Amino acid sequence: MMHQAPTDMTVAAAGPRAGQGYLSLQGLTKRYHDFLAVEAIDLDVAQGEFVALLGPSGCGKTTTLRMIAGLVPTSGGRIVVAGQDLTAVPPHKRDMGLVFQSYALFPHMTIAQNVAFGLEMRRLPRMEIAARVAEAVAMVRLEGREDRRPAQLSGGQQQRVALARALVVRPSILLFDEPLSNLDAKLREEMRSEIREIQQRLGTTALFVTHDQDEALTMSDRIVVMSHGRIEQIGRPEDLYERPATPFVARFVGRTNRFTGNAHGTTIRLGDLAVRAATQRSGPVEVMIRPHRVALAAAGCVPADGLNSVTGIVRRTTYSGDFVQYLVDADGLTFMVEEATVGHGRIAPAGTAVTLTWAPADTLVYEAAP
Amino acid sequence: MTAAAISKVSGRDADFGAAPIALMLLVPITIVNLIGFVLPVANLAILSVSEVRSSGAMTGGWSMAKWLLVATDPFYWELLWNSVRTSLVITALTLAVSYPIALYLHRSTGLWRNALLVMVISPLLLSAVVRTYGWIAILSDQGLVNQGLMALGASEPVRLMFNLTGVTIGLTEILMPYMIVALLAGLGRLDPRVEEAAATLGAPPWRVFVRIVLPLSLPGIALGSLLTFVLAISSFITPKLLGGGRVFLLATEVYDQAMVTLDWPLAATLSIIVLLVFGVALALYGRILRSIG
Ligand SMILES: Nc1ncnc2c1ncn2[C@@H]1O[C@H](COP(=O)(O)OP(=O)(O)O)[C@@H](O)[C@H]1O
Ligand SMILES: [Mg+2]
């Protein structure tokens, strides 16, 4: 198994400088009575960028999105788009497209009327409305269904109508609130790439709320991880995955091994085991190791210089097509190890004695939670 | 036999089982309706073509005299027109004052909503007679309104009773709970997300109302209007008390003919006409519902 060269944990995430984004959230706050739903969020999104807001249910994603759309009044902070402060502007003057989790189509209108609605509000000439509706309907592949009512369409089709309805007005920003969570798994994956493709083709700036890490990782230029109304980390998908800034991000994005231990410089004691990290620390720490960063070899193999190495016994082997997951007992700890099945001939059955190796840089060390 | 064929057969068996149960459940209501509605109506129909002496006693023979009278005497045409027009005006007024209340109720939540609902529905717990006397206390020449106006320097009381104005005011208030409840039921279709979607697409509040809220509340409006119209045209206590015998409507006339003049065949004829008006209103309601989709 290949290992990347150890990378600097402080690599700056791509993205506009603070306050310089096409969309700029500055200290955005929402308080419900004395409950802080969103706490002083700072975020800058470049024009044409696709940014996901990722976090567990109840962490304030929807509230943030609805504040941007103007549907929920803010309790503090500013919302700036293209240099213009929109914080106090009513929703119908914000020029944003919002795609709801529940689609929120107009049940009494046909598909064509649904899509035309935003253009009619902008008082465009009839001919242009017809042309743009046809174009948008074609873009989401719903030609021939223009005269149906929303109730006559499947969930996926309704979702595409909602997308067309928001896109057709060419909004300054497209906002999505978990738009795929009501679709089945296969359709969801199709829609991911469809939404991403259309967004890139039109160059629209997009903010996409989801609690699904796969969705966020596969669709976004950058991801904002939120927890309890606060931003945990902003970064490219690979930044979050390989260099999670906080234990929360490490746990929430991807699978991980979690241990607690004591650090002395780059050496960390995990019970009877001593492992090395790339960063200096001292005192109680939380240690995370990504299962796909650990290599598994037959016991007795001599590890390359500088690698961490642990011997253990395979307790359970789970084959899941594109990778194999092992649970390995080693010195009183249990390691989860994942190996890609590609080019990997042998699968170690339970009971096999193995050696686990990983690079010090892949030992992610965090201060222990107080 | 294949599994699919088996499940098909058993599915059909289930259908056979369901139909008789549904029919059986309909039996009690059918019996109640036969005794409580169909029989009396048939009775009225027979009564309306029964021959009577001038004393009011039945001869046992048949006569179309009352139908002919009703068809040829302009008084009865005017009576019909008055009743329909007054009921339509009352329906329109009730709708106008109830709609904002229903919309507000639809949007309120929690304890406040429950409190408001109780306030809206509680008048139904009070007899229309009592509520009408309440209105008399307000609308009479010595009532609250006129006392207020006199105190403000009006020289003569405004006539708010013993005319159509009083009947219209009283019935509008008395019928509001029905309208509000019907509107609320209809507004259940109105998802706040749909209104928000319209707003984000550039619709200012009044256009959201015209393009989204109003069309989606049409079924409730139709139902509430039907209910109110039917209740208005058949109400008799309020027109009787607030009209003071000077307002002539179908329902009050039926009462007068049946209880005062003792002309039962004429009362029966007028009752059947009220029933025909119901039929027309119901047919209209059906058409409106279908056109809404
Ligand atoms: N109208 C409201 N009143 C009170 N609390 C609310 C309201 N809306 C949301 N919240 C609370 O704010 C928090 C964030 O909600 P939300 O933004 O919907 O989370 P998410 O979309 O991330 O699941 C939740 O704890 C929720 O209970
Ligand atoms: Mg949400």
Side-chain angles (χ1 to χ4, degrees), chain A residues 32-33 35 37-38 55-64 177-178 209:
Chain A
Y32 288 114
H33 303 289
F35 172 71
V38 176
S57 174
C59 73
K61 309 179 295 289
T62 297
T63 306
T64 304
D177 191 3
E178 312 216 14
V209 161

Side-chain angles (χ1 to χ4, degrees), chain A residues 49-98:
Chain A
E49 203 178 9
F50 192 110
V51 171
L53 278 184
L54 174 66
S57 174
C59 73
K61 309 179 295 289
T62 297
T63 306
T64 304
L65 205 71
R66 289 168 62 78
M67 281 193 285
I68 298 172
L71 299 173
V72 164
T74 60
S75 310
R78 301 204 312 151
I79 299 157
V80 179
V81 175
Q84 206 190 344
D85 189 335
L86 295 184
T87 317
V89 173
H92 66 278
K93 291 186 182 154
R94 289 204 184 188
D95 189 31
M96 293 185 186
L98 179 50

Side-chain angles (χ1 to χ4, degrees), chain B residues 16 42 47 73 78 86 94 115 130 176 191 196 206 228 231 286:
Chain B
F16 277 128
L47 202 54
D73 189 338
E78 206 181 312
T86 307
T94 309
V130 176
M176 272 173 66
D191 176 0
E196 288 174 356
W206 69 270
T228 310
L231 288 172

